[in-house]
Amino acid sequence: MPAPDTVREHWRRASAESVWLRPGDWYHPAVDALVEALCEERDTVPAAERLGRVRAEAGVGIGEAIDDVVCLFRVRDREPGVELLRAVAVGWSEGYEATPVTPEVLDPESGLATTQYLVHRLRETYGVAARTGVAATHTHGLLVIDVALDDLTGWQRFARSAAMGRALTHTFGDGHPMASLGDGLFVVLGERGVDDHELRSALRHSIERTGLSLGVTAILRRPPRIWLEPLPGTHTAAVELLGTLQR
């Protein structure tokens, strides 16, 4: 059995090469606690919760935190169980709630922006349109993704949101204007003229791959419903559209 230090270095390298955004801030003593629990075949849930908590406190998104833990198990030729991923997500949520982050900016379940923050980004889009004389309805649209299923538990809804945050970030990139509207509905603000068929295909593939890797395909609508809502003529009408889309 490899020594914990060796496993940690393999994990660090795999994470830095694939999912971790800033290699210099990866290490924390909570990393060692999870590695040791795994190598000694002890219960990994407490260590996973602690790691999730410190990741949130350091400003790491929930998708990046989950991807990182998946890398640890992959270097051991294993897949993380649902309970382990749940522990990371629960710890992350607790850490997020304890940090002084403006609640209107980040949705704690998905790690994406909230609707309120997307409203602000829409205001910027309409401002640019007014300055350039090119209507926002001609340049941008809202890509809507619906993965909702009925009769899910609170934990299942949390897991679904975390998986979708990860899938959307992988597809569009960190910091792209997108938000959770709640209850399995997500929206992305994007430029029109992009190859719509290719984009939807890539997004469906990312959602399916993420669902399989996290073991949550049973709580995602398959296939997801994806459609484009053109932006209306004014910012006020766009805000009303978001309200209509929300359940």
Side-chain angles (χ1 to χ4, degrees), residues 25-219:
D25 67 0
W26 180 83
Y27 179 74
H28 186 278
V31 164
D32 287 329
L34 182 55
V35 170
E36 289 168 6
L38 183 63
C39 290
E40 295 170 9
E41 299 185 354
R42 293 186 281 109
D43 182 10
T44 56
V45 167
E49 284 192 10
R50 181 190 175 201
L51 182 60
R53 188 178 304 113
V54 300
R55 293 309 196 201
E57 291 170 352
V60 175
I62 190 170
E64 189 177 2
I66 289 174
D67 285 349
D68 176 50
V69 172
V70 170
C71 286
L72 166 61
F73 282 77
R74 294 272 170 84
V75 299
R76 298 293 307 278
D77 294 322
R78 297 168 60 180
E79 293 292 333
V82 172
E83 286 301 314
L84 187 285
L85 296 176
R86 178 180 185 276
V88 175
V90 167
W92 188 93
S93 180
E94 292 174 352
Y96 169 81
E97 291 173 358
T99 56
V101 178
T102 305
E104 289 81 10
V105 173
L106 193 65
D107 168 48
E109 293 189 358
S110 66
L112 302 175
T114 59
T115 307
Q116 293 91 335
Y117 184 69
L118 185 61
V119 165
H120 174 69
R121 297 299 299 268
L122 280 166
R123 183 179 292 110
E124 293 175 347
T125 300
Y126 281 92
V128 171
R131 290 192 295 273
T132 61
V134 180
T137 188
H138 295 153
T139 60
H140 289 76
L142 292 173
L143 189 68
V144 186
I145 305 97
D146 183 358
V147 293
L149 291 176
D150 295 330
D151 302 321
L152 298 185
T153 66
W155 155 242
Q156 287 174 325
R157 292 175 186 273
F158 190 108
R160 178 180 63 190
S161 293
M164 286 300 298
R166 175 182 177 187
L168 289 171
T169 301
H170 280 186
T171 302
F172 295 97
D174 194 44
H176 192 94
M178 49 192 172
S180 168
L181 299 187
D183 200 22
L185 199 65
F186 301 84
V187 65
V188 180
L189 174 64
E191 296 181 2
R192 304 189 67 173
V194 177
D195 188 326
D196 186 61
H197 177 75
E198 182 178 343
L199 176 60
R200 295 188 193 204
S201 178
L203 180 55
R204 287 193 176 94
H205 179 69
S206 181
I207 294 171
E208 181 71 11
R209 185 178 61 230
T210 300
L212 287 171
S213 67
L214 298 182
V216 297
T217 54
I219 58 176

